[in-house]
Amino acid sequence: VVPQELSYDRSMTTDHTSPTRGRPRSEAAGHAILAAARDLVFRHGYVGVTTDMIAKAAGTGKQTIYRRWPSKAELVLDAFAAHASDRIDEDDITVLPAEQALAQFLTRLFEALAETGGAVRGLMAYAQEDNTFRAQMFERLIKPRRQSLRALLQRGVDAGELPRDADLDATVSAVYGAMWYRLMLDEPLDGDFASRLAAFAIAGLHRPPARQVV
Amino acid sequence: VVPQELSYDRSMTTDHTSPTRGRPRSEAAGHAILAAARDLVFRHGYVGVTTDMIAKAAGTGKQTIYRRWPSKAELVLDAFAAHASDRIDEDDITVLPAEQALAQFLTRLFEALAETGGAVRGLMAYAQEDNTFRAQMFERLIKPRRQSLRALLQRGVDAGELPRDADLDATVSAVYGAMWYRLMLDEPLDGDFASRLAAFAIAGLHRPPARQVV
Amino acid sequence: VVPQELSYDRSMTTDHTSPTRGRPRSEAAGHAILAAARDLVFRHGYVGVTTDMIAKAAGTGKQTIYRRWPSKAELVLDAFAAHASDRIDEDDITVLPAEQALAQFLTRLFEALAETGGAVRGLMAYAQEDNTFRAQMFERLIKPRRQSLRALLQRGVDAGELPRDADLDATVSAVYGAMWYRLMLDEPLDGDFASRLAAFAIAGLHRPPARQVV
Amino acid sequence: VVPQELSYDRSMTTDHTSPTRGRPRSEAAGHAILAAARDLVFRHGYVGVTTDMIAKAAGTGKQTIYRRWPSKAELVLDAFAAHASDRIDEDDITVLPAEQALAQFLTRLFEALAETGGAVRGLMAYAQEDNTFRAQMFERLIKPRRQSLRALLQRGVDAGELPRDADLDATVSAVYGAMWYRLMLDEPLDGDFASRLAAFAIAGLHRPPARQVV
DNA sequence: CTGTAAGCGAGACGGTACGTCGAGTCTTCCG
DNA sequence: CGGAAGACTCGACGTACCGTCTCGCTTACAG
């Protein structure tokens, strides 16, 4: 469920003329830039990479980058957002009971983050100082993930496995919050944590079993 | 429960000689710097503040700042870590039932963040690009808060209100994670969210009602 | 007799590739920087001028200065070397007898120094701590002046006015030496000194009247 | 004819009380500072030496330096001015004919400069940016040398060897000017130049042998 | 098949913050 | 009160990165 097309387009530039005039944008350059960005951010981290480095590595000029992306952050976002969410949302999860489905979902998510976590952390950091970018990032990176998680939980509700009045939004926030929290504090995101978090979340979706302390 | 002493000391410099030789560091300068940092970060945000601004506002030279703190981040950490956790941990919470206690705790926490949130977000952002600083921040800012929350939950367990086998650590991660998540995504941290999060967390601490396998 | 071209060129940077790639250096920026440097050094003296001031006054970034000149000194040298030697070497001097020609030459030189003396002193001072720059300055500023003075004296020899075995080099050193000496000690360089120095130098070029061994 | 005492004294500090109160100044410290300054400036040049380096090398505090000298420049001036003019003015020169005496004088001067030239050049450079220091330097370093050279020439006049109307001041300026000029341009100050300069100067003191060109 | 519009690599540009360094002053404790 | 130690203010330094601009050049479609 990933866009096959690169997300940038010509609408950035003022082309209120006819559809295609002048030299068309080089597809190769776009791919090279994304690949270079991905590779360099892997190796040196978000702040350790400059746009000059990316341009040099991609064999392009800087202007070619800024013609397509408005900032380094949005480029890196593009370089990472489009990937690694493929496997997570695969349909095989659907058949499992809610807790196992959630655990499986989280395990896959954590695996993907093993690769992309560093970059994604850098993006979140940058988002703190740029509100425009924060909104971009929310739309591109945060929201889709929230939606697929929410859908997973909703399936549990629909199946009668989870209560109808469950607070799905709070759960989603808590689950992703816990993930980001661990990611940003550099604590391990492993299978064990996935299970515990899944158990906790599923439990949280049920009302507590009457007041115990009567 | 706040350290009365400033956390920095001469141990940064090489003083393997006799104690207190030369002119001692000016306490006044230290306080002026911290106050200026706090004030400026409130007003302009973390990235909107430069060391020059802080030095100017504090009436000191930049060198005096760099002699004491290795970076802007650690200075701002010092400027904020010592504050705003005072009222959160007050004892009046103790007597309440777990969920209300937690809701109250979160409400206070969120109120404090209304002031300091901007600064604290900037620190977390910087921590993503500096591992040494991340460790510092964990010790000074994250860990103490985790402990007081964990203690609150533990009291619920001790009172028989919460199950003995509850996964307190996962809960703490989820609660603080949700808080940071909302904070960094610039979503409101209000009383409503405090209640919902508290309800969710308390529920999560109980085993689900066993009908899930049906 | 002034070079029309600015003396700096791209040879500072590594351009072993093809000629003129990328955006060419802005001629306007170069001129603005030189003009700003000249003006500011006139007004505040060599040490009273910072690269920030020059950049600000020229409306450029500091980097643009450092891209072209390796130091403030070489910039100021460029700003002054091309000027103020115009009128000194004018041909009207040629027809005069040697002593008057020399006196006239020195008078004009001193007049030029009334303007540029402060800057030029600052350059000589800086040259004392930078051997590379000293060599630059010798080529650009010292040598040309030596040559025109030597040519003046040589014309006296050719005209039969001065002895063939006269030690022209020692004379040139003594004349310019006296000038620099007075300049750096802040003693007046006026018409009177010009006459006396000219008389002394012309006398020095003749063998003494042989009665000295009596 | 050199002061045996160090030139600094207590009059710099405010001691309008009784003659000696409190701890007296350590003679050893003063000597150590001068020796350290001399040594370091020899090795690293004037600008390559900091007051911290001098204090460290002398085993004193910086304040001990600044209690006695108002600036780094005056300290270095003291460190070099008091020396190496001893041999130059020795009486054995007196008996020689003027030109030989001058040549001998210059040879000795140049020999001394082989050691101290670097430091003295640095001082002259600094003097260009500090008028107060320039005056100091003139009094301490320039004037005494001028006087002894003038006295040497005056002896030639008194002996009837040089004409009564000779322009001694212009000669002194030219001779020392030539020396400084060569020193600052880093050209060799050797015996050859000493002879040529002496010959030129003596010749310059005589009126030229009537107008040759009639 | 020529003109015009745009993309391209390259790299200079203005601006802003950084962290460092040196001079000379101030402030401690110890003689 | 001097001396060693070292922190202090001030101000300049040269570097780094961002995002923009400007060369000469290609590459396409339009007339």
Side-chain angles (χ1 to χ4, degrees):
Chain A
V1 201
V2 173
Q4 296 306 320
E5 293 289 320
L6 293 177
S7 65
Y8 60 85
D9 64 4
R10 303 188 74 143
S11 61
M12 288 173 190
T13 56
T14 54
D15 67 334
H16 21 64
T17 61
S18 72
T20 44
R21 285 225 297 169
R23 177 175 176 175
R25 291 197 175 161
S26 154
E27 239 185 282
H31 285 42
I33 291 167
L34 286 169
R38 204 150 39 224
D39 178 53
L40 286 169
V41 171
F42 268 144
R43 297 221 307 269
H44 305 107
Y46 180 78
V47 291
V49 171
T50 69
T51 46
D52 283 271
M53 287 167 68
I54 296 173
K56 189 79 79 180
T60 76
K62 260 203 290 185
Q63 191 60 45
T64 302
I65 295 179
Y66 282 103
R67 215 185 325 265
R68 298 166 188 230
W69 292 274
S71 69
K72 177 179 125 179
E74 298 216 41
L75 161 58
V76 176
L77 177 58
D78 250 18
F80 282 89
H83 289 257
S85 61
D86 309 354
R87 310 190 281 290
I88 298 170
D89 300 328
E90 277 175 17
D91 294 338
D92 56 349
I93 279 181
T94 323
V95 299
L96 296 173
E99 181 170 336
Q100 288 176 46
L102 178 54
Q104 183 67 17
F105 177 89
L106 289 177
T107 301
R108 289 181 183 172
L109 186 56
F110 293 176
E111 275 165 10
L113 284 174
E115 281 182 358
T116 62
V120 137
R121 256 166 36 186
L123 291 174
M124 183 61 105
Y126 176 74
Q128 299 313 304
E129 34 184 294
D130 183 336
N131 285 319
T132 307
F133 177 70
R134 195 202 327 260
Q136 284 282 332
M137 182 162 163
F138 187 81
E139 286 303 315
R140 304 278 314 283
L141 204 61
I142 304 297
K143 206 170 169 188
R145 311 288 165 95
R146 285 186 72 91
Q147 285 171 338
S148 57
L149 176 54
R150 202 176 193 292
L152 187 152
L153 298 176
Q154 186 64 48
R155 280 197 294 273
V157 173
D158 294 347
E161 219 181 326
L162 299 174
R164 300 240 150 251
D165 62 348
D167 189 343
L168 297 191
D169 286 322
T171 310
V172 170
S173 284
V175 167
Y176 276 123
M179 181 200 83
W180 277 103
Y181 186 67
R182 289 217 136 203
L183 182 61
M184 301 195 92
L185 295 178
D186 214 18
E187 294 175 322
L189 286 169
D190 51 19
D192 174 55
F193 186 66
S195 316
R196 289 168 61 198
L197 187 54
F200 171 79
I202 296 299
L205 287 163
H206 295 91
R207 292 286 86 200
R211 177 76 70 181
Q212 284 175 302
V213 204
V214 180
Chain B
V1 202
V2 174
Q4 296 306 321
E5 294 288 323
L6 294 177
S7 65
Y8 60 84
D9 64 3
R10 305 187 72 145
S11 60
M12 288 174 190
T13 56
T14 54
D15 70 333
H16 19 63
T17 60
S18 72
T20 57
R21 287 214 297 172
R23 177 177 176 174
R25 293 203 172 154
S26 154
E27 240 183 280
H31 283 66
I33 292 168
L34 287 169
R38 203 149 39 223
D39 179 53
L40 286 168
V41 170
F42 270 143
R43 297 220 309 268
H44 304 105
Y46 180 79
V47 291
V49 172
T50 69
T51 46
D52 281 274
M53 287 166 68
I54 297 174
K56 189 79 76 181
T60 73
K62 245 198 300 186
Q63 197 70 70
T64 300
I65 294 178
Y66 282 107
R67 196 174 294 120
R68 297 169 184 228
W69 293 277
S71 67
K72 185 175 92 173
E74 296 215 42
L75 163 57
V76 176
L77 176 58
D78 253 16
F80 282 89
H83 290 258
S85 59
D86 309 354
R87 4 181 229 298
I88 299 169
D89 299 329
E90 277 176 18
D91 293 338
D92 55 350
I93 280 179
T94 322
V95 297
L96 298 172
E99 184 171 332
Q100 288 175 46
L102 179 55
Q104 182 67 17
F105 178 89
L106 290 177
T107 300
R108 289 180 184 173
L109 186 56
F110 293 177
E111 275 165 11
L113 284 175
E115 281 182 358
T116 62
V120 138
R121 253 165 41 184
L123 292 175
M124 182 62 104
Y126 178 73
Q128 299 313 305
E129 31 183 295
D130 183 334
N131 284 320
T132 308
F133 178 70
R134 195 204 322 264
Q136 286 276 333
M137 181 163 165
F138 186 81
E139 286 301 316
R140 305 280 310 283
L141 209 60
I142 305 298
K143 206 171 172 185
R145 312 288 165 95
R146 285 186 71 91
Q147 285 171 339
S148 57
L149 176 54
R150 203 180 193 288
L152 186 151
L153 298 176
Q154 186 62 50
R155 281 197 294 273
V157 173
D158 294 345
E161 217 181 329
L162 299 174
R164 302 236 150 255
D165 63 347
D167 190 342
L168 298 191
D169 287 321
T171 309
V172 169
S173 284
V175 167
Y176 276 124
M179 178 199 86
W180 277 103
Y181 186 67
R182 289 214 134 206
L183 182 62
M184 300 196 92
L185 293 178
D186 214 20
E187 294 175 322
L189 286 170
D190 51 20
D192 174 55
F193 185 67
S195 315
R196 289 168 61 198
L197 187 54
F200 171 79
I202 296 298
L205 287 164
H206 295 92
R207 290 287 87 199
R211 66 188 249 283
Q212 77 214 42
V213 206
V214 180
Chain C
V1 203
V2 173
Q4 295 307 321
E5 294 288 322
L6 293 177
S7 65
Y8 60 84
D9 63 3
R10 304 187 72 143
S11 61
M12 287 173 192
T13 56
T14 55
D15 68 334
H16 19 62
T17 61
S18 74
T20 58
R21 286 215 296 172
R23 177 177 179 174
R25 293 201 173 157
S26 156
E27 241 184 279
H31 285 66
I33 291 168
L34 287 169
R38 204 149 39 223
D39 179 52
L40 287 168
V41 171
F42 271 143
R43 297 221 310 268
H44 304 105
Y46 180 79
V47 291
V49 172
T50 69
T51 45
D52 281 274
M53 287 166 69
I54 297 174
K56 189 79 76 181
T60 74
K62 247 198 301 186
Q63 197 71 68
T64 301
I65 295 179
Y66 283 108
R67 212 186 328 266
R68 298 169 185 225
W69 293 275
S71 66
K72 185 176 91 173
E74 296 216 41
L75 163 57
V76 176
L77 176 58
D78 253 16
F80 281 88
H83 288 258
S85 59
D86 310 352
R87 351 182 241 299
I88 298 169
D89 300 329
E90 278 176 15
D91 294 337
D92 55 350
I93 279 181
T94 323
V95 298
L96 297 173
E99 184 170 332
Q100 289 174 45
L102 180 54
Q104 183 67 16
F105 177 90
L106 289 177
T107 300
R108 288 181 185 172
L109 187 56
F110 293 177
E111 274 165 12
L113 285 174
E115 281 183 358
T116 61
V120 138
R121 255 166 38 185
L123 292 175
M124 182 62 104
Y126 178 73
Q128 301 312 306
E129 31 183 294
D130 183 334
N131 285 320
T132 307
F133 178 70
R134 197 204 322 266
Q136 286 277 333
M137 181 163 167
F138 187 80
E139 287 302 316
R140 305 278 312 283
L141 208 61
I142 304 296
K143 206 171 171 186
R145 311 288 164 95
R146 285 185 72 92
Q147 286 171 339
S148 57
L149 176 54
R150 205 178 191 289
L152 186 151
L153 297 176
Q154 186 63 51
R155 281 197 293 273
V157 173
D158 295 345
E161 221 183 325
L162 299 174
R164 304 235 150 255
D165 62 345
D167 189 343
L168 298 190
D169 286 324
T171 310
V172 169
S173 284
V175 167
Y176 276 124
M179 181 200 83
W180 277 104
Y181 185 66
R182 289 215 135 204
L183 183 61
M184 301 197 92
L185 293 177
D186 215 19
E187 294 174 321
L189 286 170
D190 51 19
D192 175 54
F193 186 66
S195 315
R196 289 167 63 197
L197 187 55
F200 171 78
I202 296 298
L205 287 164
H206 295 91
R207 291 287 87 198
R211 67 187 250 285
Q212 80 211 43
V213 205
V214 178
Chain D
V1 201
V2 173
Q4 296 306 322
E5 293 289 321
L6 293 177
S7 65
Y8 61 85
D9 63 4
R10 308 187 70 145
S11 60
M12 287 174 191
T13 54
T14 55
D15 68 336
H16 21 63
T17 60
S18 72
T20 43
R21 285 223 296 168
R23 179 173 174 177
R25 288 197 177 161
S26 152
E27 237 184 285
H31 285 39
I33 291 167
L34 286 169
R38 204 149 39 224
D39 179 52
L40 287 168
V41 171
F42 269 141
R43 298 219 309 267
H44 305 106
Y46 180 78
V47 291
V49 172
T50 69
T51 46
D52 283 271
M53 287 167 69
I54 296 174
K56 190 78 78 179
T60 75
K62 261 204 289 185
Q63 190 60 43
T64 302
I65 294 179
Y66 281 102
R67 218 189 315 271
R68 297 167 189 228
W69 291 275
S71 70
K72 176 180 129 181
E74 297 217 41
L75 162 58
V76 176
L77 178 58
D78 250 19
F80 282 88
H83 290 258
S85 59
D86 309 355
R87 311 190 279 292
I88 298 170
D89 300 328
E90 276 177 16
D91 294 337
D92 53 352
I93 280 181
T94 323
V95 298
L96 297 174
E99 183 171 335
Q100 289 176 45
L102 180 54
Q104 182 67 18
F105 177 89
L106 290 176
T107 301
R108 288 181 184 170
L109 187 54
F110 292 177
E111 276 165 10
L113 284 174
E115 281 183 356
T116 61
V120 136
R121 256 165 36 185
L123 291 174
M124 181 62 104
Y126 177 72
Q128 300 311 305
E129 35 183 293
D130 183 335
N131 285 318
T132 307
F133 178 69
R134 194 202 326 260
Q136 286 280 331
M137 182 163 163
F138 187 81
E139 288 301 316
R140 304 278 315 282
L141 204 61
I142 304 296
K143 205 171 173 186
R145 308 288 164 95
R146 284 185 74 91
Q147 285 171 340
S148 56
L149 176 53
R150 205 178 192 290
L152 186 151
L153 297 177
Q154 186 63 50
R155 280 197 294 274
V157 174
D158 294 345
E161 220 181 324
L162 299 173
R164 302 238 150 254
D165 62 346
D167 189 343
L168 299 191
D169 286 323
T171 310
V172 168
S173 283
V175 167
Y176 275 124
M179 181 200 84
W180 276 102
Y181 186 66
R182 289 216 135 205
L183 182 62
M184 300 194 94
L185 293 178
D186 215 19
E187 295 174 320
L189 286 169
D190 50 19
D192 176 55
F193 186 66
S195 315
R196 288 167 63 197
L197 186 55
F200 170 79
I202 295 299
L205 287 164
H206 295 91
R207 291 287 86 200
R211 176 76 69 183
Q212 283 174 302
V213 202
V214 182

